[in-house]
């Protein structure tokens, strides 16, 4: 359960980074000169990290779901009957 919580926090961080990148990209026209280039650069960086975190969290969710199915099959009554024979 703790691992799923960690993956959920990663997913929330990815959503936050996407939101931050969107806000910075939307406000790029309000600033000129160096600020414009800096905001564009960090918008792209935050978007890339958001994509990476979301992919990583989905991979973690799939991994923990597969481990959960594997663990439930080991505890099934059919598996215990065959172990006794």
């Amino acid at each position: 359960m703790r691992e799923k919580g960690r993956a959920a926090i990663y997913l929330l961080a990815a959503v936050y980074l996407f939101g931050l990148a969107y806000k910075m990209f939307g406000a790029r026209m309000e600033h000129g000169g160096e600020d414009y280039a800096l905001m564009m650069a960090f918008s792209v960086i935050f978007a890339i990290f958001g994509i990476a975190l979301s992919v990583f969290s989905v991979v973690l969710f799939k991994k923990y779901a597969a481990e959960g199915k594997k663990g439930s099959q080991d505890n099934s009554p059919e598996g215990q009957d065959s172990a006794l024979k």
Side-chain angles (χ1 to χ4, degrees):
M1 183 68 170
R2 182 176 219 146
E3 293 86 9
K4 287 184 181 180
R6 183 178 297 159
I9 289 173
Y10 289 152
L11 190 58
L12 288 174
V15 169
Y16 175 74
L17 286 174
F18 280 133
L20 190 60
Y22 180 76
K23 283 184 181 182
M24 287 178 71
F25 187 76
R28 73 189 185 282
M29 297 307 281
E30 296 173 11
H31 304 282
E34 281 184 29
D35 289 341
Y36 179 81
L38 194 62
M39 289 181 75
M40 287 297 293
F42 277 99
S43 293
V44 170
I45 290 170
F46 289 154
I48 290 171
F49 277 114
I51 291 169
L53 270 176
S54 60
V55 168
F56 181 66
S57 62
V58 167
V59 169
L60 283 179
F61 275 126
K62 286 185 179 183
K63 175 184 169 190
Y64 298 139
E67 288 176 0
K69 288 180 184 178
K70 182 190 254 185
S72 66
Q73 289 175 353
D74 292 343
N75 294 333
S76 67
E78 297 155 352
Q80 292 174 355
D81 291 337
S82 64
L84 295 174
K85 291 182 181 180

Coordinates of all heavy atoms in Angstrom, one line a residue:
M1 N 0.8 -1.2 0.0 CA 0.0 0.0 0.0 C 0.9 1.3 0.0 O 0.5 2.2 -0.6 CB -0.9 -0.1 1.2 CG -1.9 1.1 1.3 SD -3.0 0.9 0.0 CE -4.2 2.1 0.4
R2 N 2.0 1.2 0.7 CA 2.9 2.3 0.8 C 3.4 2.7 -0.6 O 3.6 3.8 -0.9 CB 4.0 2.0 1.8 CG 4.9 3.2 2.0 CD 5.9 2.8 3.0 NE 6.1 4.0 3.8 CZ 6.4 4.1 5.1 NH1 6.5 3.0 5.8 NH2 6.6 5.2 5.7
E3 N 3.7 1.6 -1.4 CA 4.3 1.9 -2.7 C 3.3 2.5 -3.6 O 3.7 3.4 -4.4 CB 4.8 0.5 -3.3 CG 5.9 -0.1 -2.6 CD 5.5 -1.0 -1.4 OE1 4.3 -1.2 -1.3 OE2 6.3 -1.4 -0.6
K4 N 2.0 2.2 -3.5 CA 1.0 2.8 -4.4 C 0.8 4.3 -4.0 O 0.6 5.1 -4.8 CB -0.3 2.1 -4.2 CG -0.3 0.7 -4.9 CD -1.7 0.1 -4.8 CE -1.7 -1.3 -5.5 NZ -3.0 -1.9 -5.4
G5 N 1.0 4.6 -2.7 CA 0.9 6.0 -2.3 C 2.1 6.8 -2.9 O 1.9 7.9 -3.2
R6 N 3.2 6.2 -2.9 CA 4.4 6.8 -3.5 C 4.2 7.1 -5.0 O 4.5 8.2 -5.5 CB 5.6 6.0 -3.3 CG 6.9 6.7 -3.8 CD 8.1 5.8 -3.5 NE 8.3 5.7 -2.1 CZ 9.0 4.7 -1.5 NH1 9.6 3.9 -2.2 NH2 9.1 4.7 -0.2
A7 N 3.6 6.2 -5.7 CA 3.4 6.3 -7.1 C 2.3 7.4 -7.3 O 2.4 8.2 -8.2 CB 2.9 5.0 -7.7
A8 N 1.3 7.5 -6.4 CA 0.3 8.5 -6.5 C 0.9 9.9 -6.3 O 0.5 10.9 -6.9 CB -0.8 8.2 -5.5
I9 N 1.8 10.0 -5.3 CA 2.5 11.3 -5.1 C 3.3 11.7 -6.3 O 3.3 12.9 -6.7 CB 3.3 11.2 -3.8 CG1 2.4 11.1 -2.6 CG2 4.2 12.4 -3.7 CD1 3.1 10.9 -1.3
Y10 N 4.0 10.8 -6.9 CA 4.7 11.1 -8.2 C 3.7 11.6 -9.2 O 4.1 12.6 -10.0 CB 5.4 9.9 -8.7 CG 6.6 9.5 -7.9 CD1 7.1 8.2 -7.8 CD2 7.4 10.4 -7.1 CE1 8.2 7.8 -7.1 CE2 8.4 10.0 -6.4 CZ 8.8 8.7 -6.4 OH 9.9 8.3 -5.6
L11 N 2.6 11.0 -9.4 CA 1.6 11.4 -10.3 C 1.1 12.8 -10.0 O 0.9 13.6 -10.9 CB 0.5 10.4 -10.4 CG -0.5 10.6 -11.6 CD1 0.2 10.5 -12.9 CD2 -1.6 9.6 -11.5
L12 N 0.8 13.1 -8.8 CA 0.4 14.4 -8.4 C 1.5 15.5 -8.7 O 1.2 16.6 -9.1 CB 0.0 14.5 -6.9 CG -1.3 13.8 -6.5 CD1 -1.5 13.8 -5.0 CD2 -2.5 14.4 -7.2
A13 N 2.7 15.1 -8.4 CA 3.8 16.0 -8.8 C 3.9 16.3 -10.3 O 4.2 17.4 -10.7 CB 5.2 15.5 -8.3
A14 N 3.6 15.3 -11.1 CA 3.6 15.4 -12.5 C 2.5 16.4 -12.9 O 2.7 17.3 -13.8 CB 3.5 14.1 -13.2
V15 N 1.3 16.3 -12.3 CA 0.2 17.2 -12.6 C 0.6 18.6 -12.3 O 0.3 19.5 -13.0 CB -1.1 16.7 -11.9 CG1 -2.2 17.7 -12.0 CG2 -1.5 15.4 -12.5
Y16 N 1.2 18.7 -11.1 CA 1.6 20.1 -10.7 C 2.6 20.7 -11.6 O 2.5 21.9 -12.0 CB 2.3 20.0 -9.3 CG 2.8 21.3 -8.8 CD1 2.0 22.4 -8.4 CD2 4.2 21.6 -8.8 CE1 2.5 23.6 -8.0 CE2 4.7 22.8 -8.4 CZ 3.9 23.8 -8.0 OH 4.4 25.0 -7.6
L17 N 3.6 19.9 -12.1 CA 4.6 20.4 -13.0 C 3.9 20.8 -14.4 O 4.3 21.8 -15.0 CB 5.7 19.4 -13.3 CG 6.7 19.3 -12.1 CD1 7.7 18.1 -12.4 CD2 7.5 20.6 -11.9
F18 N 3.0 20.0 -14.8 CA 2.2 20.3 -16.1 C 1.5 21.7 -15.9 O 1.5 22.5 -16.8 CB 1.2 19.3 -16.4 CG 1.8 18.1 -17.2 CD1 1.5 16.8 -16.8 CD2 2.7 18.3 -18.2 CE1 2.0 15.7 -17.4 CE2 3.3 17.2 -18.9 CZ 2.9 15.9 -18.5
G19 N 0.9 21.8 -14.7 CA 0.1 23.1 -14.5 C 1.1 24.3 -14.4 O 0.7 25.3 -14.9
L20 N 2.2 24.1 -13.8 CA 3.2 25.2 -13.7 C 3.7 25.5 -15.1 O 3.8 26.7 -15.4 CB 4.3 24.8 -12.8 CG 5.3 25.8 -12.3 CD1 4.6 26.9 -11.6 CD2 6.4 25.2 -11.5
A21 N 4.0 24.5 -15.9 CA 4.5 24.8 -17.2 C 3.4 25.5 -18.0 O 3.7 26.5 -18.8 CB 4.9 23.5 -17.9
Y22 N 2.2 25.1 -17.9 CA 1.1 25.8 -18.6 C 0.9 27.2 -18.2 O 0.7 28.1 -19.0 CB -0.2 25.0 -18.4 CG -1.4 25.6 -19.1 CD1 -1.6 25.4 -20.4 CD2 -2.4 26.3 -18.4 CE1 -2.7 26.0 -21.1 CE2 -3.5 26.9 -19.0 CZ -3.6 26.7 -20.4 OH -4.7 27.2 -21.0
K23 N 1.0 27.5 -16.9 CA 0.8 28.9 -16.4 C 2.0 29.7 -16.9 O 1.8 30.9 -17.3 CB 0.8 28.9 -14.9 CG -0.5 28.5 -14.3 CD -0.6 28.7 -12.8 CE -1.9 28.3 -12.3 NZ -1.9 28.4 -10.8
M24 N 3.2 29.2 -16.8 CA 4.4 30.0 -17.3 C 4.3 30.2 -18.8 O 4.7 31.3 -19.3 CB 5.7 29.2 -16.9 CG 6.0 29.3 -15.5 SD 7.5 28.4 -15.1 CE 8.7 29.4 -15.7
F25 N 3.8 29.2 -19.5 CA 3.7 29.4 -21.0 C 2.7 30.4 -21.3 O 2.8 31.2 -22.2 CB 3.4 28.1 -21.7 CG 3.4 28.1 -23.2 CD1 4.7 28.2 -23.8 CD2 2.3 28.2 -23.9 CE1 4.7 28.2 -25.2 CE2 2.3 28.2 -25.3 CZ 3.5 28.2 -25.9
G26 N 1.6 30.4 -20.5 CA 0.5 31.4 -20.8 C 0.9 32.8 -20.4 O 0.4 33.8 -21.0
A27 N 1.8 33.0 -19.5 CA 2.2 34.3 -19.0 C 3.5 34.8 -19.7 O 4.0 35.8 -19.4 CB 2.4 34.3 -17.5
R28 N 3.9 34.1 -20.8 CA 5.2 34.5 -21.4 C 5.1 35.8 -22.1 O 6.1 36.5 -22.3 CB 5.6 33.4 -22.4 CG 4.8 33.3 -23.6 CD 5.1 32.1 -24.5 NE 4.4 32.1 -25.7 CZ 3.1 31.8 -25.9 NH1 2.4 31.5 -24.9 NH2 2.5 31.9 -27.1
M29 N 3.9 36.2 -22.6 CA 3.8 37.5 -23.3 C 3.8 38.7 -22.4 O 4.0 39.8 -22.9 CB 2.5 37.5 -24.1 CG 2.5 36.4 -25.2 SD 4.0 36.4 -26.3 CE 3.5 37.7 -27.4
E30 N 3.6 38.5 -21.1 CA 3.6 39.6 -20.2 C 5.0 40.1 -19.8 O 5.2 41.2 -19.3 CB 2.9 39.2 -18.9 CG 1.4 38.9 -19.1 CD 0.8 38.3 -17.8 OE1 1.4 38.4 -16.8 OE2 -0.4 37.8 -17.9
H31 N 6.0 39.2 -20.1 CA 7.4 39.6 -19.8 C 8.2 39.6 -21.1 O 7.9 38.8 -22.0 CB 8.0 38.5 -18.9 CG 7.2 38.4 -17.6 ND1 7.3 39.2 -16.6 CD2 6.3 37.4 -17.2 CE1 6.5 38.9 -15.6 NE2 5.9 37.8 -16.0
G32 N 9.1 40.5 -21.2 CA 9.9 40.6 -22.4 C 11.4 40.4 -22.1 O 11.8 40.3 -20.9
G33 N 12.2 40.3 -23.1 CA 13.6 40.2 -23.0 C 14.1 38.8 -22.4 O 13.7 37.8 -22.9
E34 N 14.9 38.9 -21.4 CA 15.5 37.7 -20.8 C 14.4 36.9 -20.1 O 14.5 35.7 -20.1 CB 16.5 38.1 -19.7 CG 17.9 38.5 -20.3 CD 18.9 38.7 -19.2 OE1 18.7 38.2 -18.1 OE2 19.8 39.5 -19.5
D35 N 13.4 37.5 -19.5 CA 12.4 36.8 -18.8 C 11.6 35.9 -19.8 O 11.2 34.8 -19.4 CB 11.4 37.7 -18.1 CG 12.0 38.4 -16.9 OD1 13.1 37.9 -16.4 OD2 11.5 39.4 -16.5
Y36 N 11.4 36.4 -21.0 CA 10.7 35.6 -22.0 C 11.4 34.3 -22.3 O 10.8 33.2 -22.3 CB 10.4 36.4 -23.2 CG 9.7 35.7 -24.3 CD1 8.3 35.6 -24.3 CD2 10.4 35.1 -25.4 CE1 7.7 34.9 -25.3 CE2 9.7 34.4 -26.4 CZ 8.4 34.3 -26.3 OH 7.7 33.6 -27.3
A37 N 12.7 34.4 -22.6 CA 13.5 33.2 -22.9 C 13.6 32.3 -21.7 O 13.5 31.0 -21.8 CB 14.9 33.6 -23.3
L38 N 13.7 32.8 -20.5 CA 13.8 32.0 -19.3 C 12.5 31.3 -19.0 O 12.5 30.1 -18.7 CB 14.2 32.9 -18.1 CG 14.7 32.3 -16.8 CD1 15.9 31.5 -17.1 CD2 14.9 33.3 -15.8
M39 N 11.4 32.0 -19.2 CA 10.1 31.3 -19.0 C 9.8 30.2 -20.0 O 9.3 29.2 -19.7 CB 9.0 32.4 -19.0 CG 9.0 33.3 -17.7 SD 7.7 34.5 -17.7 CE 6.4 33.4 -17.3
M40 N 10.2 30.4 -21.2 CA 10.1 29.4 -22.2 C 10.9 28.2 -21.9 O 10.5 27.1 -22.0 CB 10.4 30.0 -23.6 CG 9.4 30.9 -24.2 SD 7.8 30.2 -24.5 CE 8.2 29.1 -25.8
A41 N 12.2 28.4 -21.5 CA 13.1 27.3 -21.2 C 12.5 26.5 -20.0 O 12.5 25.3 -20.1 CB 14.5 27.9 -20.9
F42 N 12.1 27.2 -18.9 CA 11.6 26.4 -17.8 C 10.2 25.8 -18.1 O 9.9 24.8 -17.5 CB 11.5 27.3 -16.5 CG 12.9 27.4 -15.9 CD1 13.7 28.5 -16.1 CD2 13.3 26.4 -15.0 CE1 14.9 28.6 -15.5 CE2 14.5 26.4 -14.4 CZ 15.4 27.5 -14.6
S43 N 9.4 26.4 -18.9 CA 8.2 25.7 -19.3 C 8.5 24.4 -20.0 O 7.8 23.4 -19.7 CB 7.4 26.6 -20.3 OG 6.9 27.8 -19.7
V44 N 9.4 24.4 -20.9 CA 9.8 23.1 -21.5 C 10.4 22.1 -20.5 O 10.1 20.9 -20.6 CB 10.8 23.4 -22.7 CG1 11.4 22.1 -23.3 CG2 10.1 24.2 -23.8
I45 N 11.3 22.6 -19.7 CA 11.9 21.7 -18.7 C 10.8 21.1 -17.7 O 10.8 19.9 -17.5 CB 12.9 22.5 -17.9 CG1 14.2 22.8 -18.7 CG2 13.4 21.7 -16.6 CD1 15.2 23.7 -18.1
F46 N 9.9 21.9 -17.3 CA 8.8 21.4 -16.4 C 7.9 20.4 -17.1 O 7.5 19.5 -16.5 CB 8.0 22.6 -15.8 CG 8.8 23.4 -14.8 CD1 8.4 24.7 -14.5 CD2 9.8 22.9 -14.0 CE1 9.1 25.5 -13.6 CE2 10.5 23.6 -13.1 CZ 10.1 24.9 -12.9
A47 N 7.6 20.7 -18.4 CA 6.8 19.8 -19.1 C 7.5 18.5 -19.3 O 6.9 17.4 -19.2 CB 6.5 20.4 -20.5
I48 N 8.8 18.5 -19.6 CA 9.6 17.2 -19.8 C 9.6 16.4 -18.5 O 9.4 15.2 -18.5 CB 11.0 17.5 -20.3 CG1 10.9 18.0 -21.8 CG2 11.9 16.3 -20.2 CD1 12.2 18.5 -22.3
F49 N 9.9 17.1 -17.4 CA 9.9 16.4 -16.1 C 8.5 15.9 -15.7 O 8.3 14.8 -15.1 CB 10.4 17.3 -15.0 CG 11.9 17.3 -14.9 CD1 12.6 18.5 -15.2 CD2 12.6 16.2 -14.6 CE1 14.0 18.5 -15.1 CE2 14.0 16.2 -14.5 CZ 14.7 17.4 -14.8
G50 N 7.4 16.6 -16.1 CA 6.1 16.2 -15.9 C 5.8 14.9 -16.6 O 5.2 14.0 -16.1
I51 N 6.2 14.9 -17.9 CA 6.0 13.7 -18.7 C 6.8 12.5 -18.1 O 6.2 11.4 -18.0 CB 6.4 13.9 -20.2 CG1 5.5 14.9 -20.8 CG2 6.5 12.6 -21.0 CD1 5.9 15.4 -22.2
A52 N 8.0 12.7 -17.7 CA 8.8 11.7 -17.2 C 8.2 11.1 -15.9 O 8.1 9.9 -15.7 CB 10.2 12.2 -16.9
L53 N 7.7 12.0 -15.0 CA 7.2 11.6 -13.8 C 5.8 10.8 -14.0 O 5.6 9.8 -13.3 CB 6.9 12.7 -12.8 CG 8.0 13.1 -11.9 CD1 7.6 14.4 -11.1 CD2 8.3 12.0 -10.9
S54 N 5.0 11.3 -14.9 CA 3.8 10.6 -15.2 C 4.0 9.2 -15.8 O 3.4 8.2 -15.4 CB 2.9 11.4 -16.1 OG 3.5 11.6 -17.3
V55 N 5.0 9.0 -16.7 CA 5.3 7.7 -17.2 C 5.9 6.8 -16.1 O 5.5 5.6 -16.0 CB 6.3 7.8 -18.4 CG1 6.9 6.5 -18.8 CG2 5.7 8.5 -19.6
F56 N 6.7 7.4 -15.3 CA 7.3 6.6 -14.2 C 6.2 6.1 -13.2 O 6.3 5.0 -12.8 CB 8.4 7.4 -13.4 CG 9.1 6.7 -12.3 CD1 9.9 5.7 -12.6 CD2 8.9 7.2 -11.0 CE1 10.5 5.0 -11.5 CE2 9.5 6.5 -10.0 CZ 10.3 5.4 -10.2
S57 N 5.3 7.0 -12.9 CA 4.2 6.6 -11.9 C 3.3 5.5 -12.5 O 2.9 4.6 -11.8 CB 3.4 7.8 -11.5 OG 2.8 8.4 -12.5
V58 N 3.0 5.6 -13.8 CA 2.2 4.6 -14.5 C 2.9 3.2 -14.5 O 2.3 2.2 -14.2 CB 1.8 5.0 -15.9 CG1 1.2 3.9 -16.7 CG2 0.9 6.2 -15.9
V59 N 4.2 3.3 -14.7 CA 5.0 2.0 -14.7 C 5.0 1.4 -13.3 O 4.8 0.2 -13.1 CB 6.5 2.3 -15.2 CG1 7.4 1.1 -14.9 CG2 6.5 2.6 -16.6
L60 N 5.1 2.3 -12.3 CA 5.1 1.8 -10.9 C 3.7 1.2 -10.6 O 3.6 0.2 -9.9 CB 5.4 2.9 -9.9 CG 6.8 3.3 -9.8 CD1 7.0 4.5 -8.8 CD2 7.7 2.2 -9.3
F61 N 2.6 1.9 -11.0 CA 1.3 1.3 -10.7 C 1.1 0.0 -11.4 O 0.6 -0.9 -10.8 CB 0.2 2.3 -11.3 CG -0.2 3.4 -10.3 CD1 -0.1 4.7 -10.7 CD2 -0.6 3.1 -9.0 CE1 -0.5 5.7 -9.9 CE2 -1.0 4.1 -8.2 CZ -0.9 5.4 -8.6
K62 N 1.6 -0.2 -12.6 CA 1.5 -1.5 -13.3 C 2.3 -2.5 -12.6 O 1.9 -3.7 -12.4 CB 1.9 -1.4 -14.7 CG 0.9 -0.7 -15.6 CD 1.3 -0.7 -17.1 CE 0.3 0.0 -17.9 NZ 0.7 -0.1 -19.3
K63 N 3.5 -2.2 -12.1 CA 4.4 -3.1 -11.4 C 3.7 -3.6 -10.1 O 3.7 -4.8 -9.8 CB 5.7 -2.4 -11.1 CG 6.6 -3.3 -10.2 CD 7.9 -2.5 -9.9 CE 8.7 -3.2 -8.8 NZ 9.8 -2.4 -8.3
Y64 N 3.1 -2.6 -9.3 CA 2.5 -3.0 -8.1 C 1.2 -3.8 -8.3 O 0.9 -4.7 -7.5 CB 2.2 -1.8 -7.2 CG 3.5 -1.1 -6.8 CD1 3.6 0.3 -6.9 CD2 4.7 -1.8 -6.5 CE1 4.7 1.0 -6.5 CE2 5.8 -1.1 -6.2 CZ 5.9 0.3 -6.2 OH 7.0 0.9 -5.9
A65 N 0.5 -3.5 -9.4 CA -0.7 -4.3 -9.7 C -0.3 -5.7 -10.1 O -1.0 -6.7 -9.7 CB -1.5 -3.6 -10.8
A66 N 0.8 -5.9 -10.8 CA 1.2 -7.2 -11.2 C 1.7 -8.0 -10.0 O 1.4 -9.2 -9.8 CB 2.3 -7.2 -12.2
E67 N 2.4 -7.3 -9.1 CA 2.8 -8.0 -7.8 C 1.6 -8.4 -7.0 O 1.6 -9.4 -6.3 CB 3.8 -7.1 -7.0 CG 5.1 -7.0 -7.7 CD 6.0 -6.0 -6.9 OE1 5.6 -5.4 -5.9 OE2 7.2 -5.8 -7.4
G68 N 0.6 -7.5 -6.9 CA -0.6 -7.8 -6.2 C -1.4 -9.0 -6.7 O -1.9 -9.9 -5.9
K69 N -1.5 -9.2 -8.0 CA -2.1 -10.3 -8.6 C -1.3 -11.6 -8.3 O -1.8 -12.6 -8.0 CB -2.2 -10.2 -10.1 CG -3.3 -9.2 -10.5 CD -3.4 -9.0 -12.0 CE -4.4 -8.0 -12.4 NZ -4.5 -7.8 -13.8
K70 N 0.0 -11.5 -8.4 CA 0.9 -12.6 -8.1 C 0.7 -13.1 -6.7 O 0.7 -14.2 -6.4 CB 2.4 -12.3 -8.4 CG 3.3 -13.4 -8.2 CD 4.8 -12.9 -8.2 CE 5.4 -13.3 -9.5 NZ 6.9 -12.9 -9.5
G71 N 0.7 -12.1 -5.8 CA 0.6 -12.4 -4.3 C -0.8 -13.0 -4.0 O -0.9 -13.9 -3.2
S72 N -1.9 -12.6 -4.7 CA -3.2 -13.1 -4.4 C -3.3 -14.5 -5.0 O -4.0 -15.4 -4.5 CB -4.3 -12.2 -5.0 OG -4.2 -12.2 -6.4
Q73 N -2.6 -14.9 -6.1 CA -2.6 -16.2 -6.6 C -1.9 -17.2 -5.7 O -2.3 -18.4 -5.5 CB -2.0 -16.3 -8.0 CG -2.8 -15.6 -9.0 CD -2.1 -15.6 -10.4 OE1 -1.0 -15.9 -10.5 NE2 -2.8 -15.1 -11.4
D74 N -0.9 -16.7 -5.0 CA -0.1 -17.6 -4.1 C -1.0 -17.9 -2.9 O -0.8 -19.0 -2.3 CB 1.2 -16.9 -3.6 CG 2.2 -16.8 -4.7 OD1 2.0 -17.5 -5.8 OD2 3.1 -16.0 -4.6
N75 N -1.9 -17.1 -2.5 CA -2.7 -17.3 -1.3 C -4.1 -17.9 -1.6 O -4.9 -18.1 -0.8 CB -3.0 -15.9 -0.6 CG -1.7 -15.4 0.0 OD1 -0.8 -16.1 0.3 ND2 -1.6 -14.1 0.1
S76 N -4.3 -18.3 -2.9 CA -5.6 -18.9 -3.3 C -5.7 -20.3 -2.7 O -4.7 -21.0 -2.4 CB -5.7 -19.0 -4.8 OG -4.7 -19.9 -5.3
P77 N -6.9 -20.7 -2.4 CA -7.1 -22.1 -1.8 C -6.7 -23.2 -2.8 O -6.2 -24.2 -2.3 CB -8.6 -22.2 -1.6 CG -9.2 -20.8 -1.8 CD -8.2 -20.0 -2.5
E78 N -6.8 -23.0 -4.1 CA -6.3 -24.0 -5.0 C -4.8 -24.2 -4.9 O -4.3 -25.3 -5.0 CB -6.7 -23.6 -6.5 CG -8.1 -23.5 -6.7 CD -8.5 -22.5 -7.8 OE1 -7.6 -21.8 -8.3 OE2 -9.7 -22.4 -8.1
G79 N -4.1 -23.1 -4.7 CA -2.6 -23.2 -4.6 C -2.3 -24.0 -3.3 O -1.3 -24.7 -3.2
Q80 N -3.1 -23.8 -2.2 CA -2.8 -24.5 -1.0 C -3.1 -25.9 -1.0 O -2.4 -26.8 -0.4 CB -3.6 -23.8 0.2 CG -3.1 -22.4 0.4 CD -4.0 -21.7 1.5 OE1 -5.1 -22.2 1.9 NE2 -3.6 -20.5 1.9
D81 N -4.2 -26.3 -1.8 CA -4.5 -27.7 -1.9 C -3.4 -28.5 -2.7 O -3.0 -29.6 -2.3 CB -5.8 -27.9 -2.7 CG -7.0 -27.4 -1.8 OD1 -6.9 -27.4 -0.6 OD2 -8.1 -27.1 -2.4
S82 N -2.9 -27.9 -3.7 CA -1.8 -28.6 -4.5 C -0.5 -28.7 -3.7 O 0.3 -29.6 -3.9 CB -1.6 -27.8 -5.8 OG -1.1 -26.5 -5.6
A83 N -0.3 -27.7 -2.8 CA 0.9 -27.8 -1.9 C 0.8 -28.9 -0.9 O 1.8 -29.4 -0.5 CB 1.1 -26.4 -1.3
L84 N -0.4 -29.2 -0.5 CA -0.6 -30.3 0.5 C -0.4 -31.7 -0.1 O 0.0 -32.6 0.7 CB -1.9 -30.2 1.2 CG -2.2 -28.9 2.0 CD1 -3.6 -28.9 2.5 CD2 -1.2 -28.8 3.2
K85 N -0.6 -31.8 -1.3 CA -0.5 -33.1 -2.0 C 0.8 -33.5 -2.3 O 1.8 -33.4 -2.2 CB -1.3 -33.1 -3.3 CG -2.8 -33.0 -3.0 CD -3.6 -33.1 -4.3 CE -5.1 -32.9 -4.0 NZ -5.9 -33.0 -5.1

